[in-house]
Amino acid sequence: MRYPTPQELGLAARALADEHPGEVRLRQAGTSRAGQPIWVLSVAATATTTATATATATATAGPVGTAGGDARSVLVVAGAHANEPVGGATALSLARRLLRDPAPRAGCGWHFLLCADPDGADLHRTPRPYSLLDYHRYFFRPPGPEQPEWAPSLLPADRLPPETLALTALIDELRPVLQVSLHATDLGGTWVQLTRDIPGLAEPFAKSAAELRIPVENGASDAAGWPSPGPGIFVIPQPGSEAAGAFHPEDTRLSTWYHAHRYAGTTAIVEVPMWASDLVDDPAPHPDPRGALRMLAARLTADAALVGAARERARSRDGDRDRDGNEDGNGDGDGPRPGGFEDPAAAPLLRAVDWTLALIPRITVEWTGAGAPAEATAAYIASIDAFGRRLSLRAAAMLLRVLRAEGHPAAPGLDRLVTGWCEEFAARFGARWIPVATQVEHQSRTVLAAYDRLVAADRATGRA
């Protein structure tokens, strides 16, 4: 099994809809910046008891779903990050599973946004990576303002990309009781972020991870200091709380994850690794967290400087510099100046490189500032270590794609750097490949468990 492309997802979804015309519907929810369709696959609710349907409809205000006025809706979002392709495969697998075992469809329609960023997915081309180096050969992850889920936290409303508008419009239409965003990490473990706690989720999540030999990331750098009701489960702190926040260049609460809160919905972000490392599952106290963070910040600064030097060598030829001399990459229409790169992929790749390099100094300040933890687990320090490695590696890999396509003299040296970093990353963390089918199975189990526990919690409080 390999990761499907956006085009393959659309074809598979069309075939599924043709096979089950009374239960499955495929429709276009929007169009990407490059004109690609953004597909939504819906699996209709099945009948439920009148009493349950009435109670559930009361708990979820307004018409939702597309299959007979479902009392509840679940929205599963795949492909929000171009470099995390497992979500589309999971979405298709879940849709097929719901057709075989319709129990979770009782009074609930399930809707799958198959690829939230098809343009980005087309630029990240690694359907079957056999190593970290192979994964990074055609790596792409757009800058934050161009990511569908994060754009609302970084851009004014009148500049949101069409992919974001398609997603928020879908949330407004469906009013999901649960939104699940499917994500992945290149190397590490599995964890779940929640916008509200889902009581009881930790147990089935941990059971699935153990059965499938996927380490649970107990100290995810994305969720540092967040409340954790169980291993690998993190609840995003509410506004005004004193919980120490993880470093984010974006305001998480302005992302599309929180758009579902307008309709009393909850969002779960399910992360699964491509390569596993047991280092992120170590709960032992680290002997010197602040010293380790200072060391990691110094290494990240040095690594970023190497990438920055290669970027400067390319700058005189790049195509992302506006005619007015600015390098804002803001799409304001003044266009690239003559002499830029010929490869059409160069502009988005270089925007992503520059955004990542600009982010790194802010991160190192956070790691070495007064708020750095005096106590932390070995798992947390390992997660920070991995995060820092991937930032400089991603910037270097994307820059290398541009330089290699142009035959730039800086390409061979940067190639050696990327190769060495990938090998060091894999060796340091004992990287172990998780088959795509296993990644899909764990995400699918976690999504179904999240919905099951959410329904149980609502039933216990009289909301369903």
Side-chain angles (χ1 to χ4, degrees), residues 5-44:
T5 67
Q7 293 74 25
E8 289 168 342
L9 286 170
L11 290 172
R14 172 58 64 195
L16 195 64
D18 289 344
E19 291 170 13
H20 304 272
E23 298 176 280
V24 180
R25 177 189 177 196
L26 180 67
R27 61 190 172 113
Q28 186 172 339
T31 304
S32 73
R33 281 162 288 186
Q36 295 197 72
I38 298 173
W39 295 113
V40 177
L41 183 70
S42 297
V43 181

Side-chain angles (χ1 to χ4, degrees), residues 325-410:
N326 295 326
E327 296 163 18
D328 48 18
N330 60 6
D332 56 9
D334 50 9
R337 69 180 187 178
F341 290 109
E342 295 180 3
D343 184 358
L349 284 165
L350 290 172
R351 287 199 301 273
V353 170
D354 291 343
W355 191 78
T356 304
L357 291 176
L359 192 63
I360 286 173
R362 296 167 56 192
I363 292 173
T364 57
V365 167
E366 187 83 6
W367 290 354
T368 57
E375 298 180 357
T377 64
Y380 172 72
I381 296 301
S383 183
I384 290 289
D385 183 358
F387 179 64
R389 289 175 187 269
R390 69 173 57 99
L391 278 177
S392 49
L393 176 55
R394 288 172 175 179
M398 290 187 286
L399 179 58
L400 177 58
R401 288 184 62 181
V402 177
L403 300 185
R404 196 170 51 214
E406 296 293 322
H408 195 285

Side-chain angles (χ1 to χ4, degrees), residues 195 236-242 251 253 258 261:
T195 58
I236 301 173
Q238 296 302 308
S241 71
E242 295 182 358
D251 184 340
R253 292 180 292 269
Y258 274 80
H261 281 216

Side-chain angles (χ1 to χ4, degrees), residues 149-188:
E149 292 182 327
W150 287 116
S153 66
L154 296 166
L155 295 174
D158 61 352
R159 290 181 55 200
L160 293 177
E163 296 86 352
T164 296
L165 297 177
L167 175 53
T168 54
L170 196 59
I171 296 171
D172 290 337
E173 174 197 336
L174 299 176
R175 303 185 178 190
V177 65
L178 175 65
Q179 177 186 210
V180 183
S181 186
L182 301 174
H183 286 257
T185 186
D186 45 19
L187 199 164

